[in-house]
């Protein structure tokens, strides 16, 4: 028996469970894309599948809605693949192991992919329906959103007729998103030289951080393991000598790093200094991040004597200087929208290779010039230290539209259903809406979704009653879009 068989809305959870059985991490979307194509064929719907695996499925208007403007429903099919260190799971070949705890759906030890599998499930349930009223639909499923909106960036919008769009990629019920930040990934390459050395190998691991989405949760002042390791290495160098061998932290540029590990060579008699410094800074970090990261832990493990190639002292100094000066977190709050983060950055991926340090930073801003200025700041720092810098995945902001018939109708429907106001908000996270908005003249779009907690982490949870309420609201909105 399917785990979600008895939960409402049945069709939504049926399709969500099917989606979860198919590997669909970013960069591994062919199988889920073909699944959507097979769905379209089975239902005899017209469809488009492009070379990137983006899929559009078209459904005619129901009786009485033939003259209504076409509506686009849009979400992405890829998910962020994260897991606990003690969990064995191959995201490229295995489906997720679902579990229900009260009102919440999660996956055992891994991310759930509610972001944005729930959009795919909503879309398929609407396409599959025979009793819902709606205008002609163009349901767009894009790929690789989580690694730079790549599917939307490569999508040919000429296959779409609609100029009203509901994006289904938000995570807060009762809030209608109408604007988002633009972003870019900045890649820093800092060359290093190595020398041979001997000493006691010591592993220093920073763990126990909360992490989270670098756009949606950057304002919560959570710690970054990649930044903390830089502070630790700097302070350790003030009390003892060491040589840096390895350094690695973070897996995604859009996830606040939860863990980071450094491998050092030290004199045997100075291992105790590393341990005492770790204890001291662990206490300081826990106090500094009280309320967000009280469980920060610095683990020190002795691994025996070793001969190894370590960073030349000059290279080591440059790496630590880079980490101590690399921007992280909220850089500016909006001066026009209360409570909105305007500009931020997150060094999400860090890896020390034999001949270079690589760091990828997610840079976001709702102001184009501010995004560019922050990118240039990191570029200047990288190049000042003899490194190189480039960018990828540049996407535009989705600007607030003063006149929006779609927004007004959705606000009206919500008020009628719940007798309270729908919150209309701008967000700091990036959405594919910005790319569609830039390329489709006159596009009127909004974004909504159910409550999803701790996205991009293995503690991700989908609020199942919220899924039902948002479904009921979405159905009413479709019914209201008759003109």
């Amino acid at each position: 028996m399917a785990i979600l068989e008895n939960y409402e809305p049945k069709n939504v959870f049926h399709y969500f469970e099917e989606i979860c059985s198919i590997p669909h991490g970013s960069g591994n979307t062919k199988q889920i894309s073909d699944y959507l194509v097979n769905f379209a064929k089975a239902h005899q719907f017209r469809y488009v599948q492009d070379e990137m695996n983006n899929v559009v499925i078209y459904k005619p208007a129901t009786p009485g809605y033939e003259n209504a403007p076409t509506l686009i429903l849009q979400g992405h099919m890829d998910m962020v693949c994260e897991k606990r260190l003690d969990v064995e799971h191959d995201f490229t070949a295995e489906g997720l192991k679902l579990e229900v705890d009260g009102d919440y759906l999660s996956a055992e030890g891994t991310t759930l992919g509610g972001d944005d599998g729930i959009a795919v499930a909503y879309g398929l349930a609407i396409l599959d329906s025979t009793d819902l009223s709606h205008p002609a639909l163009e349901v767009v499923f894009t790929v690789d959103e989580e690694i730079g909106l790549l599917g939307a960036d490569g999508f040919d919008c000429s296959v779409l007729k609609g100029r009203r769009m509901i994006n289904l990629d938000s995570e807060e019920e009762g809030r209608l998103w109408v604007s988002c930040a633009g972003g870019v990934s900045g890649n820093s390459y800092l060359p290093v030289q190595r020398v041979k050395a001997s000493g006691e190998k010591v592993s220093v691991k920073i763990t126990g951080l909360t992490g989270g989405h670098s756009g949606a949760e950057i304002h919560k002042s959570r710690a970054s393991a990649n930044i903390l390791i830089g502070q630790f290495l700097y302070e350790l160098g003030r009390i003892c000598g060491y040589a840096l061998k390895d350094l690695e932290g973070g897996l995604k540029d859009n996830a606040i790093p939860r863990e980071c590990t450094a491998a050092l060579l030290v004199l045997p008699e100075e291992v105790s200094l590393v341990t005492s410094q770790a204890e001291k800074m662990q206490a300081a970090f826990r106090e500094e991040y009280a309320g967000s990261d009280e469980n920060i832990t610095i683990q020190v493990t002795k691994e025996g004597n070793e001969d190894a190639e370590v960073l030349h002292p000059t290279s080591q100094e440059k790496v630590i200087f880079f980490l101590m000066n690399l921007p992280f977190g909220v850089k500016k709050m909006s001066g026009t929208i209360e409570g909105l983060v305007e500009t931020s950055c997150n060094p999400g991926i860090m890896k020390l290779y034999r001949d270079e340090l690589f760091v990828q930073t997610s840079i976001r801003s709702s102001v184009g010039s501010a995004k560019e200025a922050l990118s240039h700041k990191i570029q200047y720092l990288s190049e000042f230290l003899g490194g190189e810098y480039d960018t990828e995945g540049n996407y535009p902001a989705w600007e607030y539209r003063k006149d929006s018939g779609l927004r007004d109708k959705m606000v009206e429907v919500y008020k009628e259903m719940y007798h309270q106001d729908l919150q209309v908000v701008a967000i700091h996270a990036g959405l594919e809406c910005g790319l569609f908005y830039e390329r489709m003249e006159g596009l009127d779009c909004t974004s909504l979704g159910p409550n999803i907690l701790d996205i991009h982490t293995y503690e991700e949870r989908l609020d199942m009653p919220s899924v039902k309420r948002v479904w009921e609201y979405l159905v009413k909105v479709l019914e209201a879009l008759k003109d």
Side-chain angles (χ1 to χ4, degrees):
M1 184 180 77
I3 293 175
L4 305 180
E5 186 175 31
N6 295 321
Y7 291 91
E8 295 287 348
K10 285 186 180 294
N11 236 12
V12 174
F13 282 116
H14 163 74
Y15 283 116
F16 187 80
E17 189 160 4
E18 286 206 347
I19 292 161
C20 289
S21 72
I22 303 169
H24 58 284
S26 301
N28 183 36
T29 56
K30 177 60 175 171
Q31 190 174 348
I32 188 71
S33 178
D34 288 345
Y35 164 81
L36 296 172
V37 167
N38 290 333
F39 170 92
K41 290 178 179 178
H43 289 76
Q44 298 184 327
F45 291 136
R46 185 166 63 91
Y47 70 91
V48 171
Q49 181 185 39
D50 66 19
E51 293 181 354
M52 298 187 70
N53 294 325
N54 295 310
V55 174
V56 184
I57 302 176
Y58 303 88
K59 185 179 182 183
T62 55
Y65 287 75
E66 294 87 350
N67 296 323
T70 298
L71 176 69
I72 303 167
L73 296 175
Q74 189 268 324
H76 63 88
M77 64 184 88
D78 64 309
M79 65 173 283
V80 168
C81 297
E82 292 272 9
K83 65 181 183 68
R84 289 201 317 263
L85 291 178
D86 62 330
V87 171
E88 292 187 6
H89 185 86
D90 183 356
F91 283 104
T92 66
E94 300 177 66
L96 305 176
K97 298 177 182 178
L98 301 181
E99 56 184 1
V100 177
D101 183 5
D103 288 339
Y104 292 97
L105 174 64
S106 59
E108 296 180 18
T110 71
T111 40
L112 174 67
D115 173 17
D116 195 22
I118 195 60
V120 181
Y122 278 146
L124 293 179
I126 290 170
L127 289 166
D128 191 37
S129 69
T130 58
D131 58 347
L132 301 183
S133 299
H134 56 74
L137 299 175
E138 299 172 330
V139 186
V140 181
F141 305 107
T142 51
V143 300
D144 297 342
E145 187 268 357
E146 299 290 2
I147 52 175
L149 314 184
L150 302 184
D153 189 36
F155 182 75
D156 180 4
C157 294
S158 68
V159 301
L160 301 178
K161 174 184 176 183
R163 287 300 180 270
R164 296 192 299 190
M165 184 175 87
I166 299 176
N167 167 278
L168 300 167
D169 190 21
S170 73
E171 300 92 28
E172 294 180 273
E173 181 189 353
R175 293 164 69 88
L176 189 69
W177 295 353
V178 294
S179 176
C180 75
V184 66
S185 293
N187 300 320
S188 299
Y189 310 88
L190 191 65
V192 298
Q193 293 182 337
R194 291 184 179 262
V195 295
K196 293 182 179 180
S198 299
E200 182 80 19
K201 183 181 178 183
V202 177
S203 173
V204 179
K205 183 176 183 179
I206 296 183
T207 186
L209 281 70
T210 304
H213 190 284
S214 67
E217 294 169 311
I218 199 71
H219 65 288
K220 296 180 180 179
S221 301
R222 294 176 178 175
S224 163
N226 287 351
I227 297 300
L228 297 189
I229 199 72
Q231 296 176 20
F232 176 82
L233 293 174
Y234 172 75
E235 295 296 337
L236 181 63
R238 292 166 61 89
I239 62 170
C240 76
Y242 66 86
L244 183 60
K245 177 178 181 288
D246 298 312
L247 184 63
E248 183 171 6
L251 298 172
K252 309 284 183 182
D253 76 328
N254 60 359
I256 301 170
R258 300 160 63 104
E259 298 180 353
C260 187
T261 302
L264 316 175
L265 294 189
V266 299
L267 296 174
E269 61 268 24
E270 293 192 331
V271 172
S272 60
L273 292 176
V274 181
T275 302
S276 62
Q277 185 67 19
E279 293 173 351
K280 175 183 176 182
M281 295 194 71
Q282 175 179 292
F285 286 150
R286 288 183 176 184
E287 181 177 357
E288 180 180 351
Y289 290 97
S292 65
D293 293 276
E294 293 95 339
N295 297 317
I296 293 174
T297 301
I298 305 180
Q299 302 172 350
V300 177
T301 305
K302 294 189 296 182
E303 299 184 9
N305 193 70
E306 183 174 306
D307 297 327
E309 286 191 332
V310 298
L311 293 191
H312 184 282
T314 301
S315 293
Q316 181 169 305
E317 191 70 24
K318 287 183 177 182
V319 166
I320 296 171
F321 183 90
F322 181 81
L323 295 179
M324 286 291 289
N325 288 277
L326 186 61
F328 164 68
V330 176
K331 298 292 102 181
K332 185 178 184 298
M333 299 296 292
S334 172
T336 56
I337 302 177
E338 185 177 355
L340 176 67
V341 177
E342 179 183 282
T343 307
S344 77
C345 67
N346 175 65
I349 303 173
M350 177 170 64
K351 173 68 175 177
L352 179 60
Y353 295 97
R354 186 184 184 281
D355 57 358
E356 74 175 14
L357 174 72
F358 171 75
V359 177
Q360 185 172 72
T361 302
S362 173
I363 302 164
R364 304 175 189 267
S365 183
S366 52
V367 178
S369 59
K371 179 180 73 175
E372 185 177 2
L374 184 52
S375 179
H376 286 169
K377 182 175 184 177
I378 300 173
Q379 178 178 5
Y380 189 21
L381 174 62
S382 303
E383 293 176 349
F384 179 78
L385 294 171
E388 297 181 356
Y389 180 85
D390 60 33
T391 60
E392 61 183 82
N394 195 355
Y395 59 92
W398 167 27
E399 297 181 4
Y400 176 75
R401 178 173 172 147
K402 292 183 179 180
D403 299 316
S404 169
L406 177 60
R407 179 187 67 227
D408 294 346
K409 179 62 70 174
M410 295 180 73
V411 168
E412 177 186 316
V413 170
Y414 191 88
K415 183 78 170 181
E416 291 174 352
M417 290 183 67
Y418 299 109
H419 308 291
Q420 61 184 14
D421 292 331
L422 178 63
Q423 296 183 54
V424 177
V425 296
I427 63 163
H428 185 59
L431 287 173
E432 293 163 300
C433 298
L435 287 164
F436 287 98
Y437 185 82
E438 181 183 57
R439 296 171 184 178
M440 299 173 66
E441 185 176 356
L443 182 67
D444 187 1
C445 55
T446 61
S447 178
L448 62 86
N451 294 326
I452 312 177
L453 287 69
D454 294 318
I455 62 171
H456 297 185
T457 77
Y458 49 71
E459 295 174 347
E460 181 184 1
R461 305 180 303 287
L462 179 62
D463 183 337
M464 299 175 77
S466 178
V467 170
K468 183 175 184 291
R469 291 189 297 269
V470 170
W471 167 258
E472 293 168 347
Y473 171 61
L474 182 59
V475 167
K476 287 292 186 183
V477 168
L478 295 178
E479 184 180 315
L481 295 176
K482 200 170 186 177
D483 50 30

